Structure formats: C-alpha cells, structure tokens
Amino acid sequence: MKKQRIWELDALRGVCIIGMIFVHLIYDLLMFTDLTLHIPQWFLVVQQYGHLLFVLISGICVTLGSKCVKRGLIVYAAGMLVTLVTVFMDYVLQMGNVRIWFGILHLLGVCMLVYPLFKRLPSWLLALIGIIIISIGRWFMTFTVDVDFLFPLGLRSGRIFTGADFFPIFPGLGSFLLGASIGKSLYRNKNTLFPRVSVQLPVICFFSFIGRHSLEIYLLHQPIITGIVILLFS
C-alpha cells in the first residue's frame, strides 16, 4: 500500500521552491543584464529568510520517514554536483562569483546524515538543542578565525569567498532540529493536520507537485533560468 503523503508539507515546500526560483531569477537579471530593477522590501525578506522555512520543513519530514541516511547521501551528492557545476561556471566560463561551496543541499544532506544521533531524543530536547545551535551560529558570525576550511561549520576566516549560496551547519542544523521537534510533536501520527481540505484543488496540486520534486527542480532551475536570461538579454 502506497504511503499517503502529507499535502501541506509538500505544498509548503513547493512555495519555498517557487520563492527560490523567483529570487534566483532576479539575481540573474541583476548580474547578467543592464536592467534597473526596483527591489521591494518583501523580496529582501524572502531572499534573507525564505530558506529557514525550507529547512524547518525538511526537519519535520525527516521524522516521517525511515531512510534519512540514504536520503542524506543523495542530497549531499546533489550539493557536490552543484559545487562542480558552479566552480566550472566561475573559473572556466568566467561568470563571476557564482560558485557554491556549502549551499542549502550540502546543509540538508549533513543534517539528514547526523539526524540518527538525535532521533530518539524527546521533542523538547530537540528544540532546546536546536536553539543552542542557532545561538552558537549567531555567535560565530561575530568573529573570524585563522583557519580557512572550517567555514562549513560557520567559522569564517574572512580570507576566502564562502560562496554565492552559503548555509553553514551552525545555525542551519539548529533550524533543522527545530523542524524535527515540530514533526515529533504535531505529526507524531504521520497524518495531515488539515484532513478536510481537498487535495484536488488546483493550487494545492500545483504546489504539492513542485514540493514532491523539489530536488530535481532545484538542480535544473538555475542553468535553465541563467541560459534563458543570457539568450534574451545578451
């Protein structure tokens, strides 16, 4: 019997993906064209904090499945593919600082891989650890270190470019564990919280489809958007 998915998590993930695509479209228009764009305040909020919702949802979802290590390896491998492609774009195609050393996929892959260490903890303790990790991550932002390769943890040296899309483990893992705490609390029965909502509504179908295929869309959207922008405005 096929496991029934929780539609609101898929739909929320889909909303995040659409927001990310829009952010990257604006970034490409600013980087590869001479267009002058008025950036509204809400866009800056989405750009700065939209990823938090995506990480929280991923933390919720990790409590619903049983293959988080396998999934983590796949997601981290996808992150490394993004690194290879963006390094090629940066150093070979000379497209500027577009390389991604430790982006959202690297972060989520690591979070899924280490989640078994936290899996048996009660939700309140997961939340407490998450808040502590977030606080440590915020503290890491206040100083630099003399070592270059610790930036995935959030410890920056200030001598290297950490990437166009940078999401370190501190505080990212904290947000992920907060999501896991929510998942253990609100979704302990692994059922939707909105059973009366029709999942056949077109808007729900659309965002749920995007959410179910978020990894594939993440990997494909940037080269497609960049290619279209360059073709139209070059």
Side-chain angles (χ1 to χ4, degrees):
M1 183 177 178
K2 187 177 180 180
K3 184 175 69 173
Q4 187 171 0
R5 298 183 67 93
I6 298 176
W7 71 265
E8 64 265 28
L9 297 180
D10 282 336
L12 279 174
R13 192 189 288 114
V15 170
C16 292
I17 290 295
I18 294 298
M20 175 202 66
I21 291 174
F22 186 64
V23 167
H24 287 171
L25 172 61
I26 297 300
Y27 176 83
D28 284 354
L29 289 173
L30 291 173
M31 185 170 185
F32 299 114
T33 76
D34 296 326
L35 295 177
T36 301
L37 302 176
H38 171 70
I39 306 299
Q41 188 64 37
W42 63 264
F43 174 83
L44 299 177
V45 173
V46 172
Q47 182 183 37
Q48 190 72 23
Y49 300 107
H51 71 280
L52 291 177
L53 179 58
F54 194 81
V55 176
L56 280 171
I57 295 170
S58 298
I60 294 172
C61 291
V62 80
T63 67
L64 304 174
S66 58
K67 299 179 180 179
C68 62
V69 172
K70 178 181 178 181
R71 180 68 175 172
L73 289 172
I74 293 173
V75 172
Y76 190 81
M80 292 306 299
L81 177 62
V82 170
T83 295
L84 291 174
V85 171
T86 55
V87 166
F88 176 82
M89 292 169 64
D90 199 333
Y91 290 106
V92 178
L93 300 182
Q94 300 293 312
M95 296 180 69
N97 290 330
V98 298
R99 58 191 181 276
I100 297 174
W101 295 120
F102 202 85
I104 191 74
L105 295 183
H106 300 83
L107 169 64
L108 292 179
V110 169
C111 289
M112 294 174 192
L113 288 172
V114 303
Y115 178 69
L117 300 175
F118 304 93
K119 187 175 183 179
R120 297 186 181 277
L121 298 179
S123 58
W124 69 266
L125 187 53
L126 282 175
L128 178 60
I129 294 173
I131 292 171
I132 291 173
I133 291 175
I134 291 173
S135 300
I136 292 173
R138 296 296 181 185
W139 176 53
F140 282 176
M141 295 178 185
T142 64
F143 62 91
T144 58
V145 296
D146 291 330
V147 182
D148 291 337
F149 60 81
L150 294 179
F151 67 89
L153 295 175
L155 291 167
R156 303 166 178 83
S157 69
R159 292 189 294 264
I160 63 171
F161 175 63
T162 53
D165 200 21
F166 180 51
F167 298 97
I169 295 171
F170 292 84
L173 177 59
S175 299
F176 186 87
L177 292 180
L178 284 179
S181 174
I182 294 171
K184 279 198 164 190
S185 301
L186 297 183
Y187 290 96
R188 56 184 177 274
N189 295 324
K190 300 185 179 182
N191 293 319
T192 177
L193 302 181
F194 307 96
R196 296 181 181 275
V197 176
S198 173
V199 297
Q200 302 304 319
L201 291 172
V203 65
I204 291 178
C205 289
F206 172 75
F207 285 110
S208 295
F209 176 84
I210 298 296
R212 288 195 303 271
H213 300 280
S214 57
L215 180 58
E216 298 94 319
I217 293 173
Y218 183 92
L219 291 174
L220 293 174
H221 84 282
Q222 189 63 74
I224 292 174
I225 290 175
T226 302
I228 291 174
V229 168
I230 291 175
L231 285 174
L232 291 178
F233 295 94
S234 62

